[in-house]
């Protein structure tokens, strides 16, 4: 089996591990991001992350925390396989000779290239996931989009294709998706390699144990969100915005309106759950990828 096939398989294993560990945190993040600012004198639907967890469990049970997982689960092979495969091919292009270790700055370039490629798969997947996760928050806000009730991932896709401009509707939010994935993955893969080399005390990281890989992967995942979190907020609100009566005219308009109405704090709604998710989820992803890649030779 060639390197491309090995990266595709290992990326799939890593992505599945990441999804299983991290999806409940992601659900809470999207609920907090998508709830509208309350009217003066009224409390928000969710007072914070733990309140969102309690309300979700009370209204929907544990399954509510995994709402919207069908879309990313169905495409996890494509998303993570492409991410790690493109990163692997970028690494091959950047190597001075076969088998040579890459410098941290080269891993940053490889991560950015992988981020470009994966954005075109991530955008429709994220749109479907966010629509499903945000339904209860939108219903409370009185948004016109709350009138649309989705039965599952395929129902969202059918509605968008039928009523929101066809295939183009599935790529709503592509610009902020690119603005998230390119710098986010550049940071993540750069930090991952830097931490591995630091713990290995040199460029040869092949002897690192699983504990070191877990630490490096978890912190690398956290770096992704530290660099791009406000962009993710913009992406989420644009993707769940009503098609026929939109609140925002575009990404910059969403940014300006959130900043004007909620201040900088509004650009970090759901940051706690995102960070709580990123460390264990990415630790699981990188560890699973490395173990699978090593097993494949």
């Amino acid at each position: 089996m060639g390197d491309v096939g090995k990266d595709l398989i290992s990326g799939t294993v890593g992505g599945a591990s990441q999804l299983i560990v991290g999806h409940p945190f992601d659900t809470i993040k999207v609920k907090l991001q998508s709830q509208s600012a309350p009217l003066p004198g009224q409390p928000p639907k969710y007072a914070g992350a733990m309140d969102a967890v309690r309300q979700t469990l009370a209204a929907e049970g544990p399954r509510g925390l995994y709402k919207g997982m069908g879309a990313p689960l169905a495409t996890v092979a494509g998303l993570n396989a492409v991410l790690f495969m493109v990163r692997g091919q970028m690494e091959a292009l950047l190597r001075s000779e076969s088998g040579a270790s890459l410098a941290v700055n080269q891993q940053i370039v490889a991560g950015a290239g992988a981020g470009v490629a994966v954005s075109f798969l991530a955008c429709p997947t994220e749109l479907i996931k966010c629509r499903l996760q945000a339904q209860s928050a939108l219903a409370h806000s009185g948004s016109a989009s709350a009138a649309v009730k989705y039965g599952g991932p395929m129902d969202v896709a059918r509605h968008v294709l039928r009523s929101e401009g066809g295939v183009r509707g599935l790529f709503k939010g592509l610009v902020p998706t690119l603005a998230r994935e390119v710098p986010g993955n550049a940071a993540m893969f750069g930090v991952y390699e830097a931490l591995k080399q630091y713990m290995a005390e040199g460029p040869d990281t092949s002897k690192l144990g699983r504990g070191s890989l877990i630490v490096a992967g978890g912190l690398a995942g956290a770096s992704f969100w530290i660099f791009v979190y406000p962009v993710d907020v913009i992406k989420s609100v644009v993707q769940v915005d009503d098609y026929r009566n939109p609140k925002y005219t575009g990404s910059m308009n969403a940014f300006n309106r959130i900043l004007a109405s909620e201040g900088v704090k509004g650009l970090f709604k759901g940051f706690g759950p995102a960070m709580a998710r990123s460390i264990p989820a990415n630790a699981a992803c990188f560890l699973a990828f490395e173990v699978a890649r090593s097993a494949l030779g």
Side-chain angles (χ1 to χ4, degrees):
M1 187 187 297
D3 287 340
V4 171
K6 291 174 184 177
D7 286 337
L8 287 170
I9 293 171
S10 302
T12 300
V13 173
S17 302
Q18 181 187 53
L19 187 65
I20 291 167
V21 172
H23 193 80
F25 296 97
D26 192 63
T27 296
I28 299 305
K29 172 181 73 73
V30 172
K31 283 178 179 285
L32 291 171
Q33 287 177 341
S34 58
Q35 67 174 336
S36 300
L39 296 173
Q42 293 186 356
K45 176 172 174 59
Y46 304 117
M50 290 308 299
D51 183 47
V53 172
R54 282 191 293 269
Q55 288 197 44
T56 300
L57 289 174
E60 306 171 61
R63 289 181 62 186
L65 295 174
Y66 283 91
K67 184 173 284 186
M69 195 173 80
L73 186 61
T75 56
V76 67
L79 284 170
N80 286 277
V82 166
L83 181 68
F84 282 97
M85 182 270 288
V86 174
R87 177 217 182 193
Q89 293 306 295
M90 292 285 291
E91 287 177 331
L93 289 172
L94 293 167
R95 281 194 180 97
S96 56
E97 59 184 57
S98 180
S101 299
L102 294 184
V104 172
N105 63 336
Q106 291 174 309
Q107 286 288 355
I108 291 172
V109 173
V116 172
V118 82
S119 293
F120 292 91
L121 287 173
C123 185
T125 301
E126 288 274 312
L127 182 140
I128 291 169
K129 174 180 69 69
C130 288
R131 293 281 180 95
L132 289 169
Q133 290 173 322
Q135 276 193 123
S136 57
L138 291 172
H140 179 82
S141 71
S143 167
S145 58
V148 180
K149 296 296 183 184
Y150 303 114
M154 292 306 298
D155 189 34
V156 179
R158 281 193 294 268
H159 173 82
V160 173
L161 289 170
R162 184 175 61 248
S163 306
E164 299 187 21
V167 174
R168 183 179 178 182
L170 290 173
F171 286 88
K172 184 179 183 180
L174 179 61
V175 170
T177 301
L178 281 161
R180 184 189 74 172
E181 294 295 328
V182 175
N185 281 296
M188 183 172 70
F189 284 112
V191 168
Y192 182 62
E193 188 63 26
L195 289 170
K196 286 202 303 177
Q197 292 188 16
Y198 173 78
M199 289 185 284
E201 299 181 343
D204 182 9
T205 62
S206 60
K207 301 290 194 298
L208 286 176
R210 294 184 179 183
S212 297
L213 295 176
I214 288 171
V215 171
L219 293 176
S223 72
F224 181 106
W225 292 111
I226 289 170
F227 276 88
V228 300
Y229 193 80
V231 179
D232 186 65
V233 173
I234 301 304
K235 179 199 70 67
S236 292
V237 299
V238 167
Q239 289 186 321
V240 303
D241 200 13
D242 184 55
Y243 177 73
R244 300 191 183 282
N245 186 28
K247 183 177 180 180
Y248 308 109
T249 59
S251 298
M252 285 306 301
N253 179 250
F255 172 81
N256 291 329
R257 291 187 64 174
I258 290 172
L259 202 60
S261 64
E262 303 175 57
V264 174
K265 184 179 179 181
L267 296 171
F268 285 89
K269 289 189 294 187
F271 184 70
M275 292 302 291
R277 167 194 176 274
S278 67
I279 295 175
N282 284 284
C285 178
F286 277 104
L287 177 62
F289 172 82
E290 297 281 11
V291 169
R293 191 66 174 81
S294 177
L296 291 171

